[in-house]
Amino acid sequence: MYSQTWKYMAMAVVVLLQLTTAESSLSLADRITMLPGQPLVWFQQFSGYVTVDDKKQKSLFYYFVEAEVDPVSKPLVLWLNGGPGCSSLGVGAFSENGPFRPNGLVLVRNDYSWNKEANMLYLETPVGVGFSYATDSSSYEGINDEVTARDNLVFLQRWLLKFPQYSHRDFFITGESYAGHYIPQLAKLMIEFNQKEKLFNLKGVALGNPVLEFATDFNSRAEFFWSHGLISDSTYKLFTSACNYSRYVSEYYRSSLSPVCSKVYGLVTRETSRFVDNYDVTLDVCIPSVLSQSKFISPPQVGGQRIDVCIDDETANYLNRQDVQSAFHARLVGVRRWEVCNDILDYEPLDVEIPTISLVGYLIKSGIRVLVYSGDQDSVIPLTGSRTLVHGLANQLGLNSTVPYRVWFGGQQVGGWTQVYGNILSFATIRGASHEAPFSQPERSLVLFKSFLQGMPLPEMF
């Protein structure tokens, strides 16, 4: 009897192995043997291309890192950086929450990598960003939020054909900055797709320092500058009355910059100084991994060119090595170098004015958990605007506060502040963090990420 039982168990194992091999066969060509200079790790890595438009040969590049321990039981998390036009590989994976960071000619481990808690998928989107490309150069023209969301949906559908074992796995989307547009729009399409064919098991989205509502987010910059001593009382008054920041950006991208806005923003630029990093006003400017997130949410300053004080950025140097690109199964098409933020694509700048906070409300009504978090030293999308928008959305949806505004802890120190509404909508700050919170506060960001995945309030005590 026992021998018969063991016989059936052995047969089951063989069948399971065959299924696993069949499931992963499409992804085998994308498996990374080892990245140059990489320390020894036990988790698997994959990277390569998914074609999202067969006719125009639009191919999006991804980097996928399995969870360090027990990837079968861990959720799948998609990470998107913003811009539009900035790389989730170069910024997200290699500067923020991926398993490695470049250090000269080698890679060093990130002790606070998010693949400690999840299987992490980094996508270079839209087409033209990083290693993503199209053989038809016209594909780089007329790119907007709608095109990007549609391409991202097709990417996920086809990526799951390569990795079918992740179909129906608990799925989360995270990202920052202009991903405040990318993520809600993609999530909406996923929900609509599921109404026809159940494929995605979307559980939640986390939005870091996100652009959600143009005027509220942008105009909170004036108070942040003033309260941190970056501008004078008189300039603050002009920046909130004569020409606020949303008006300046709107005029700039319509090529109709008024004299008053030019004057006001010239004062702001002069007083804040080009030697202060707006993405973290407390950091010195020449930190190689503090990478510009956007050409649209921070258009060129009046009266001078933006200076690249980190010309020898180690991430760009690493990803432009031939051996590295070969290991990644990556190629450069139509460009000579891999860039952190690519100018090859012609993205519709006025899409930034389209509010996505209503889409966040749609996600909540659909049962999707939402976390909005803010690095509290970011002046580009300051925490005050995000907090105002989250509180207003909670009131609109009739969500009562289930966790009152309080501190949370990362280790033995205060990690930030948080408030939860209806156990489905959360706001949190990360103390001492920049626009790229996982870069500047990796340990606290990992605590926040773990709590988000578990659906638990942030730690109240250390």
Side-chain angles (χ1 to χ4, degrees):
M1 179 180 175
Y2 288 108
S3 61
Q4 191 77 355
T5 301
W6 281 108
K7 178 182 177 182
Y8 285 126
M9 288 180 66
M11 290 172 61
V13 169
V14 171
V15 170
L16 181 60
L17 287 172
Q18 289 173 340
L19 286 172
T20 303
T21 302
E23 285 180 345
S24 61
S25 61
L26 288 174
S27 62
L28 286 178
D30 290 355
R31 184 175 178 180
I32 297 172
T33 304
M34 181 170 282
L35 295 172
Q38 171 204 306
L40 183 64
V41 295
W42 300 110
F43 55 83
Q44 293 193 96
Q45 305 173 78
F46 301 82
S47 62
Y49 290 92
V50 172
T51 301
V52 296
D53 188 321
D54 298 316
K55 184 178 179 181
K56 295 184 177 181
Q57 286 295 296
K58 294 167 65 175
S59 297
L60 297 184
F61 182 83
Y62 77 91
Y63 173 48
F64 177 53
V65 185
E66 287 191 343
E68 283 190 8
V69 179
D70 196 17
V72 174
S73 69
K74 300 286 173 64
L76 174 64
V77 176
L78 173 67
W79 172 272
L80 299 174
N81 276 94
C86 296
S87 167
S88 299
L89 173 66
V91 184
F94 277 91
S95 296
E96 299 191 70
N97 51 41
F100 310 115
R101 289 187 178 176
N103 184 13
L105 297 177
V106 300
L107 298 175
V108 296
R109 286 296 302 273
N110 174 13
D111 292 334
Y112 304 103
S113 173
W114 284 12
N115 81 317
K116 291 181 179 295
E117 302 295 334
N119 301 284
M120 296 297 300
L121 175 59
Y122 300 89
L123 174 62
E124 291 196 305
T125 184
V127 66
V129 173
F131 293 121
S132 296
Y133 71 90
T135 55
D136 183 351
S137 60
S138 66
S139 297
Y140 301 135
E141 301 170 2
I143 300 179
N144 54 32
D145 285 358
E146 183 180 351
V147 171
T148 301
R150 187 173 65 246
D151 285 351
N152 291 345
L153 178 69
V154 174
F155 167 85
L156 288 177
Q157 291 174 261
R158 295 186 176 184
W159 187 86
L160 287 172
L161 294 176
K162 287 192 175 195
F163 297 87
Q165 64 269 37
Y166 288 96
S167 295
H168 311 297
R169 184 80 61 95
D170 284 358
F171 185 66
F172 297 84
I173 315 177
T174 57
E176 66 199 14
S177 195
Y178 200 81
H181 276 225
Y182 295 159
I183 293 174
Q185 292 166 340
L186 171 59
K188 180 176 183 290
L189 292 184
M190 293 170 68
I191 292 170
E192 292 172 349
F193 182 88
N194 267 13
Q195 293 170 359
K196 303 173 185 177
E197 178 187 343
K198 182 68 175 176
L199 178 62
F200 307 110
N201 189 19
L202 182 61
K203 294 293 186 179
V205 302
L207 310 166
N209 292 84
V211 184
L212 295 172
E213 200 282 309
F214 176 68
T216 303
D217 284 322
F218 280 33
N219 293 334
S220 61
R221 182 180 289 204
E223 183 178 5
F224 188 96
F225 280 161
W226 177 78
S227 65
H228 285 69
L230 273 68
I231 58 174
S232 63
D233 291 354
S234 59
T235 297
Y236 172 68
K237 184 176 180 180
L238 289 172
F239 207 27
T240 53
S241 58
C243 177
N244 59 28
Y245 189 56
S246 66
R247 177 182 167 185
Y248 166 76
V249 174
S250 181
E251 289 184 0
Y252 179 88
Y253 285 114
R254 287 176 172 82
S255 300
S256 58
L257 193 59
S258 63
V260 64
C261 281
S262 180
K263 176 185 176 182
V264 170
Y265 201 64
L267 286 169
V268 171
T269 301
R270 190 155 55 249
E271 290 181 1
T272 56
S273 168
R274 63 186 179 182
F275 297 105
V276 169
D277 184 353
N278 286 337
Y279 295 93
D280 187 330
V281 299
T282 63
L283 283 180
D284 293 336
V285 290
C286 199
I287 305 295
S289 293
V290 176
L291 305 172
S292 174
Q293 274 285 291
S294 175
K295 60 184 177 183
F296 290 138
I297 61 176
S298 290
Q301 298 176 352
V302 173
Q305 297 294 315
R306 183 182 295 277
I307 297 175
D308 181 5
V309 298
C310 301
I311 194 70
D312 293 325
D313 178 84
E314 291 188 84
T315 299
N317 288 343
Y318 183 78
L319 292 177
N320 274 297
R321 286 167 48 181
Q322 289 280 344
D323 58 341
V324 171
Q325 292 176 10
S326 178
F328 268 118
H329 319 119
R331 52 188 175 274
L332 295 173
V333 178
V335 294
R336 299 179 66 179
R337 282 180 54 83
W338 180 94
E339 299 285 353
V340 172
C341 299
N342 208 326
D343 289 329
I344 192 174
L345 68 158
D346 178 23
Y347 207 97
E348 173 52 65
L350 296 181
D351 274 10
V352 73
E353 297 181 3
I354 300 172
T356 55
I357 188 67
S358 59
L359 290 181
V360 174
Y362 170 82
L363 300 183
I364 292 169
K365 291 176 184 177
S366 300
I368 307 301
R369 286 193 287 112
V370 174
L371 165 66
V372 176
Y373 66 92
S374 296
D376 64 9
Q377 299 308 309
D378 177 29
S379 72
V380 175
I381 306 292
L383 73 94
T384 49
S386 298
R387 182 170 62 182
T388 298
L389 289 169
V390 170
H391 185 71
L393 181 61
N395 285 340
Q396 180 185 332
L397 297 176
L399 299 176
N400 296 321
S401 180
T402 47
V403 174
Y405 198 82
R406 61 163 174 81
V407 298
W408 62 272
F409 282 82
Q412 296 186 336
Q413 300 292 336
V414 171
W417 283 258
T418 185
Q419 186 163 9
V420 181
Y421 303 90
N423 294 321
I424 195 169
L425 173 62
S426 303
F427 174 75
T429 65
I430 301 178
R431 188 165 71 95
S434 64
H435 191 69
E436 300 92 357
F439 162 71
S440 52
Q441 288 292 339
E443 183 176 7
R444 292 172 185 173
S445 296
L446 181 59
V447 171
L448 179 137
F449 179 62
K450 183 177 180 179
S451 296
F452 163 65
L453 293 181
Q454 295 175 343
M456 300 292 292
L458 284 156
E460 194 167 4
M461 299 292 292
F462 61 83

